[in-house]
Amino acid sequence: MANQFSIFISRDGGNKKYASVLAPGQHEGLGKTSDEGISSWGWNLNGQHSTYHALFPRAWTIYDGEPDPDLKVSCRQISPFVPHDYRDSSLPTAVFVYTLVNTGKERAKVSLLFTWANSIGGISHLSGDHVNEPFIGEDGVSGVLLHHKTAKGNPPVTFAVAASETQNVNVTVLPCFGLTEGSFITARKMWGKMMQDGQFDRENFNIGPSMPSSPGETLCAAVSASAWVEPHGKCTIAFALAWSSPKIKFSKGSSYHRRYTKFYGISERAAVDLVHDALTNYKHWEEEIEKWQSPILEDIRLPEWYKFTLFNELYFLVAGGTVWIDSSSPSADVKSDQDPPIKVESKNIKVTEAEMNCRHSTGFEHTSTSGCNSSTGVGLKQNGSSTIPRKKRSCKHFSHHLKTEDQLDGNEDVGRFLYLEGVEYIMWCTYDVHFYASFALLELFPKIELNIQRDFAKAVLSEDGRKVKFLAEGNYGIRKVRGAVPHDLGTHDPWNEMNAYNIHDTSKWKDLNSKFVLQVYRDFAATGDMAFGIEVWPAVRTAMEYMEQFDRDDDGLIENDGFPDQTYDAWTVHGVSAYCGCLWLAALQAAAAMAQRLGDKFFAETCKTKFFSAKSAFEKKLWNGSYFNYDSGSSSNSKSIQADQLAGQWYTSSSGLGPIFDEFKTRSSLQKIFDFNVMKVKGGRMGAVNGMHPNGKVDESCMQSREVWTGVTYAVAANMLLAGMEEEAFTTAEGIFIAGWSEEGFGYWFQTPEGWTTNGHYRSLIYMRPLAIWSMQWVLSPPKAIIEAPKINMMDRIVISPATFSLSLPETRVRKIANKTACFGNSSLQCTC
């Protein structure tokens, strides 16, 4: 609560004074005004004339005539979230620009105060040994550094609070004040000084570092910026905050340097440079933000609610536990000396045929099988007892031979990126959910999106034989099966220890591999990055081959196994399912298209042949004349209308591929979803419920069938846009806005949950999947590369003998295809495709 902005106003030679913390409304936890702490401050705003406006990554807080009726105050908050800028968007800083408009007849002296506690909460909040230090920087930027010593040996944090001094703005600081009676300068005394003088003593800049705080003591700092505002005049005052914590350390010992250290170094004192650059560059950031947002905001086709919800849902990319590291970081993959190396039996570490072929037939050096990559690969020995070493091993990949125009632009290495499934489901880059959310990254930071796909591509080709117990069935299995796409990149040691999720054995899930193939193809088609396509192709083919085991009756179509073996992990599926089956059909189509573009004609034709067989079986088993049944089983919900039944078609159409089903089946299914899953739930004002019986009653068979999933609703709306159902699409998506973001809703703004029931009870706040709203924008303004992407003719196919109907290819054919692929670049470049 000590982290606040406050305002002090003096008029008429000091005869008229106003002072208040700029925090409207009532606040819990404040004590008596006679206390020495922040309760003694002036909490005087009732908020009747205060409004907040958000358009991420900026926001405006307006104080209209509070506390001074003749002064309008606005605070513009700016975060350096600038699409395609991989440098400034990584910076841990924010800017607060105050605009003061004097509508009165007298000049006013206005002082703004920025206070900050030397704390990150938790154990170290009152543990002591924290130090504050004033600084005067370049270009009039000055303020206070707050050095925070964290607990349990975690990396330290240094905050910087600063303001920009100009010809009309005077900046002073109070490096230290406390919140209790024993403090040398208390919060009450600090407030009194500002009330009296409107600034601090200039000599405070010469104090130097403070004495370390004592246990139980909260150390705070204050920065004041003062200016005269003439009658009917205007003044601008800018503050900045930065937080420098150069090292990220995970609980199993791996540590890395954050992305910004590539540009600012690893000293905590980089916070000084960060606030300086924030205060000198924020106008440029705003120009770039406006250039990005204006075409959408000015698009008269789009509803107003959609425009700002589209941008505001992006909050999750910075608030979702995001970790962005410098992949060239010298601390990357260094294990803590207290942690023993992980021992793994060599028989449990395997290399796929595709990976071995890559090693034998190219100049590709590969010393790692579990998580081998260009930055933080884990070295696993191939004989004897295998040890994950403390230091990073050499692991070259071949993509550097092929550089697209985009890759050559600026810094090629954009680091590595993690974000959580949600703040309650703490797993990094949960892949079945990223399937929906990834449109945002692909649209705005495509190099990050490609790097995430590279991480998963390498994971496909790895196996981790350590045993884990699966909670739902109580059985045991191995952590990561070769050929299976992992559910996530881990929790306690991401990239090195994947699949933190342990409710079910996700190596038996039926959606992850298809989602990998679909995402990779979409990203390949959208970016035109041939090097990326060649690099990940062995994993794509391996992922497709892996899925053949789930085709129990050799009709080309995969079957589910009678448990919740997909992203709806509480919703049981029997036999063929609309969701997983449609994803599989789409994956066959995408794999065929990608194989064709990479010159692997045999695999392309194999996928096409399998597609026709699988599509025939899918329609025969699930199509009921108006939509696709939930599954082909005989349970009470087998004929349920699933909102997400056409997820595969959504992806292929978004990737520039042709439709899977004819127009009648597609529109009929989407219309059924709109009429039942959307409009029969609160008149369409809550989004699309996941499951609905054909009698118009919500499918109550499990928790997830009766929920409205926010991200899935956005995806369904995108699918409707693709089908030309614009009115239905925006009505469907607007239900999420009404329930989650509007004033009449449930108050879930900037914490959009995974889903809610028809009564509005949420599950899993601050969740990744709602970023899927960007799939709607993807349809409304598709990239040129998608519009012009080569269309694969699924009808133009060759006859393949039954003996070669399998997606798995003999090694000799793999070698031939690898040699052909060399035509895409340097003659020494070869890859198994």
Side-chain angles (χ1 to χ4, degrees):
M1 284 295 289
N3 298 350
Q4 300 287 350
F5 283 101
S6 302
I7 193 165
F8 301 83
I9 305 154
S10 175
R11 291 180 184 268
D12 190 23
N15 292 325
K16 253 194 237 176
K17 287 193 174 185
Y18 305 89
S20 181
V21 181
L22 290 173
Q26 300 297 312
H27 303 280
E28 295 180 6
L30 293 178
K32 298 176 182 177
T33 55
S34 58
D35 290 349
E36 292 298 317
I38 62 173
S39 302
S40 62
W41 296 355
W43 301 84
N44 300 323
L45 296 197
N46 60 30
Q48 288 183 350
H49 301 286
S50 299
T51 55
Y52 173 79
H53 312 259
L55 190 68
F56 184 87
R58 295 191 295 172
W60 294 258
T61 309
I62 312 297
Y63 311 92
D64 192 352
E66 288 192 286
D68 180 346
D70 291 327
L71 188 71
K72 291 188 176 182
V73 181
S74 70
C75 175
R76 189 168 78 256
Q77 300 147 257
I78 306 152
S79 175
F81 181 99
V82 183
H84 307 285
D85 185 337
Y86 298 90
R87 183 191 187 279
D88 288 2
S89 297
S90 75
L91 305 184
T93 186
V95 179
F96 307 86
V97 181
Y98 278 86
T99 302
L100 311 171
V101 178
N102 184 0
T103 60
K105 297 177 181 178
E106 307 165 309
R107 70 194 305 239
K109 183 183 181 184
V110 181
S111 298
L112 286 163
L113 178 71
F114 189 10
T115 50
W116 198 261
N118 191 332
S119 174
I120 59 169
I123 297 172
S124 66
H125 175 56
L126 298 173
S127 59
D129 279 342
H130 311 312
V131 173
N132 289 0
E133 175 187 2
F135 71 89
I136 298 178
E138 297 177 353
D139 302 313
V141 174
S142 52
V144 182
L145 287 174
L146 298 88
H147 304 285
H148 187 83
K149 183 179 179 181
T150 57
K152 297 183 177 179
N154 285 315
V157 182
T158 294
F159 294 101
V161 288
S164 191
E165 187 161 277
T166 65
Q167 188 174 0
N168 187 41
V169 177
N170 179 47
V171 177
T172 56
V173 300
L174 181 64
C176 294
F177 69 90
L179 304 181
T180 55
E181 193 171 341
S183 304
F184 177 68
I185 299 177
T186 64
R188 171 184 283 277
K189 287 181 181 176
M190 183 278 297
W191 190 266
K193 172 71 171 174
M194 286 297 299
M195 287 278 290
Q196 178 179 321
D197 299 334
Q199 62 187 42
F200 300 113
D201 297 333
R202 193 74 190 175
E203 53 265 29
N204 287 350
F205 281 114
N206 304 320
I207 291 176
S210 69
M211 294 291 290
S213 62
S214 303
E217 178 186 10
T218 300
L219 204 59
C220 301
V223 176
S224 166
S226 308
W228 285 97
V229 188
E230 299 299 324
H232 308 292
K234 185 168 79 169
C235 178
T236 298
I237 297 176
F239 293 89
L241 168 70
W243 49 101
S244 177
S245 183
K247 185 181 288 188
I248 172 73
K249 179 183 176 185
F250 293 97
S251 61
K252 289 202 171 179
S254 293
S255 60
Y256 309 87
H257 286 143
R258 297 184 192 271
R259 166 74 176 165
Y260 79 90
T261 64
K262 186 178 185 72
F263 316 107
Y264 286 82
I266 61 173
S267 167
E268 289 86 8
R269 296 188 68 85
V272 173
D273 296 325
L274 285 163
V275 286
H276 170 271
D277 290 358
L279 287 168
T280 53
N281 291 339
Y282 76 85
K283 291 179 182 177
H284 169 69
W285 294 340
E286 290 195 281
E287 288 173 3
E288 293 301 308
I289 290 166
E290 288 172 6
K291 197 183 301 181
W292 156 47
Q293 293 184 336
S294 292
I296 295 172
L297 297 175
E298 294 167 5
D299 190 338
I300 60 173
R301 300 174 303 161
L302 304 177
E304 288 301 305
W305 67 263
Y306 168 80
K307 295 175 183 179
F308 56 80
T309 308
L310 177 74
F311 292 114
N312 286 336
E313 289 285 17
L314 289 172
Y315 85 94
F316 189 82
L317 286 177
V318 299
T322 308
V323 171
W324 191 357
I325 67 163
D326 172 19
S327 54
S328 63
S329 160
S331 66
D333 266 351
V334 177
K335 291 280 182 181
S336 164
D337 289 338
Q338 297 131 331
D339 296 334
I342 303 168
K343 296 283 186 180
V344 185
E345 291 288 331
S346 62
K347 65 182 180 182
N348 290 333
I349 305 300
K350 300 176 183 176
V351 186
T352 65
E353 175 188 294
E355 198 170 359
M356 290 299 293
N357 287 331
C358 236
R359 185 186 301 170
H360 293 159
S361 64
T362 74
F364 177 49
E365 237 180 86
H366 197 166
T367 61
S368 157
T369 59
S370 176
C372 173
N373 51 59
S374 61
S375 53
T376 57
V378 179
L380 294 170
K381 298 176 184 175
Q382 294 305 308
N383 45 55
S385 176
S386 300
T387 303
I388 297 179
R390 297 178 188 275
K391 297 214 176 195
K392 182 170 110 174
R393 296 186 140 202
S394 166
C395 180
K396 299 177 183 176
H397 62 85
F398 45 78
S399 66
H400 65 277
H401 290 289
L402 289 169
K403 294 179 180 177
T404 65
E405 185 177 341
D406 179 61
Q407 287 174 317
L408 287 168
D409 180 25
N411 177 30
E412 182 180 349
D413 178 12
V414 300
R416 305 180 80 193
F417 190 89
L418 298 170
Y419 66 145
L420 294 173
E421 177 179 339
V423 298
E424 297 179 43
Y425 297 166
I426 304 177
M427 294 163 282
W428 300 111
C429 295
T430 298
Y431 200 71
D432 54 306
V433 184
H434 181 69
F435 175 73
Y436 297 83
S438 56
F439 283 90
L441 280 174
L442 180 58
E443 174 76 27
L444 306 175
F445 297 96
K447 292 181 184 179
I448 289 177
E449 165 62 10
L450 293 187
N451 277 358
I452 291 174
Q453 300 302 343
R454 288 185 178 100
D455 285 335
F456 278 91
K458 285 147 193 162
V460 169
L461 300 176
S462 73
E463 183 161 301
D464 185 340
R466 287 171 285 186
K467 284 187 176 180
V468 294
K469 184 177 181 178
F470 303 113
L471 302 181
E473 293 81 20
N475 60 326
Y476 287 83
I478 67 172
R479 178 172 290 278
K480 168 68 181 66
V481 175
R482 184 185 65 234
V485 174
H487 172 273
D488 55 78
L489 292 177
T491 293
H492 302 304
D493 195 6
W495 299 298
N496 303 321
E497 185 180 272
M498 292 170 282
N499 279 334
Y501 178 95
N502 63 348
I503 297 176
H504 302 289
D505 181 354
T506 59
S507 70
K508 295 183 172 67
W509 275 20
K510 309 306 183 295
D511 62 339
L512 287 168
N513 281 40
S514 296
K515 287 175 174 176
F516 170 69
V517 175
L518 288 168
Q519 287 182 75
V520 164
Y521 179 74
R522 178 204 56 189
D523 297 355
F524 172 62
T527 62
D529 190 334
M530 189 63 74
F532 167 76
I534 293 172
E535 182 181 355
V536 300
W537 177 248
V540 171
R541 203 198 66 193
T542 300
M544 292 297 291
E545 293 168 357
Y546 181 87
M547 293 298 287
E548 288 197 288
Q549 64 183 296
F550 303 124
D551 178 8
R552 317 292 186 192
D553 52 8
D554 294 326
D555 61 356
L557 186 62
I558 61 170
E559 284 85 37
N560 291 76
D561 283 329
F563 75 100
D565 48 358
Q566 23 78 45
T567 194
Y568 299 91
D569 58 352
W571 200 356
T572 298
V573 195
H574 298 278
V576 174
S577 88
Y579 182 67
C580 296
C582 186
L583 287 170
W584 173 242
L585 293 176
L588 286 167
Q589 189 178 7
M594 191 166 181
Q596 190 162 297
R597 290 182 69 175
L598 292 177
D600 189 345
K601 294 180 181 178
F602 184 88
F603 193 76
E605 299 303 337
T606 305
C607 288
K608 284 199 241 178
T609 302
K610 188 176 280 286
F611 171 85
F612 280 102
S613 174
K615 179 185 175 186
S616 175
F618 182 88
E619 292 183 334
K620 182 178 179 180
K621 292 178 180 180
L622 296 180
W623 180 250
N624 62 21
S626 61
Y627 65 94
F628 294 100
N629 289 333
Y630 175 69
D631 65 27
S632 63
S634 56
S635 62
S636 61
N637 69 326
S638 288
K639 289 184 169 55
S640 284
I641 308 160
Q642 184 178 11
D644 216 1
Q645 62 185 266
L646 293 179
Q649 169 115 354
W650 163 53
Y651 243 78
T652 55
S653 296
S654 297
S655 304
L657 296 171
I660 297 174
F661 308 110
D662 62 54
E663 185 179 356
F664 170 76
K665 289 187 176 71
T666 299
R667 288 185 66 96
S668 176
S669 298
L670 291 172
Q671 191 65 51
K672 193 77 173 181
I673 292 165
F674 180 75
D675 293 341
F676 280 70
N677 301 59
V678 178
M679 297 309 295
K680 289 186 183 295
V681 179
K682 307 292 185 184
R685 298 175 69 80
M686 290 196 75
V689 70
N690 284 334
M692 178 73 78
H693 289 295
N695 64 3
K697 293 184 178 179
V698 173
D699 183 343
E700 300 275 357
S701 58
C702 73
M703 172 186 71
Q704 292 172 338
S705 64
R706 61 176 172 263
E707 289 178 330
V708 172
W709 280 11
T710 52
V712 167
T713 298
Y714 288 141
V716 170
N719 219 346
M720 290 173 176
L721 287 173
L722 286 161
M725 302 167 63
E726 188 170 308
E727 184 178 345
E728 293 87 345
F730 283 115
T731 299
T732 297
E734 188 178 10
I736 303 303
F737 163 75
I738 292 170
W741 287 90
S742 75
E743 291 188 34
E744 65 184 87
F746 302 113
Y748 296 143
W749 42 79
F750 297 107
Q751 51 184 344
T752 314
E754 157 76 308
W756 46 66
T757 65
T758 54
N759 296 322
H761 296 294
Y762 73 86
R763 182 171 59 81
S764 189
L765 285 174
I766 311 180
Y767 197 76
M768 180 198 292
R769 205 180 321 245
L771 284 168
I773 192 172
W774 278 86
S775 69
M776 296 179 66
Q777 191 60 28
W778 186 265
V779 177
L780 293 164
S781 300
K784 185 179 179 183
I786 291 294
I787 297 172
E788 298 177 353
K791 302 292 187 289
I792 179 171
N793 187 350
M794 297 299 285
M795 300 301 293
D796 180 20
R797 58 192 176 98
I798 60 173
V799 177
I800 298 179
S801 67
T804 57
F805 188 71
S806 169
L807 293 177
S808 301
L809 302 178
E811 184 176 338
T812 53
R813 184 166 293 279
V814 172
R815 294 283 179 86
K816 289 178 183 177
I817 294 165
N819 292 332
K820 286 183 181 180
T821 311
C823 68
F824 289 113
N826 187 300
S827 59
S828 67
L829 169 61
Q830 298 170 353
C831 172
T832 61
C833 297

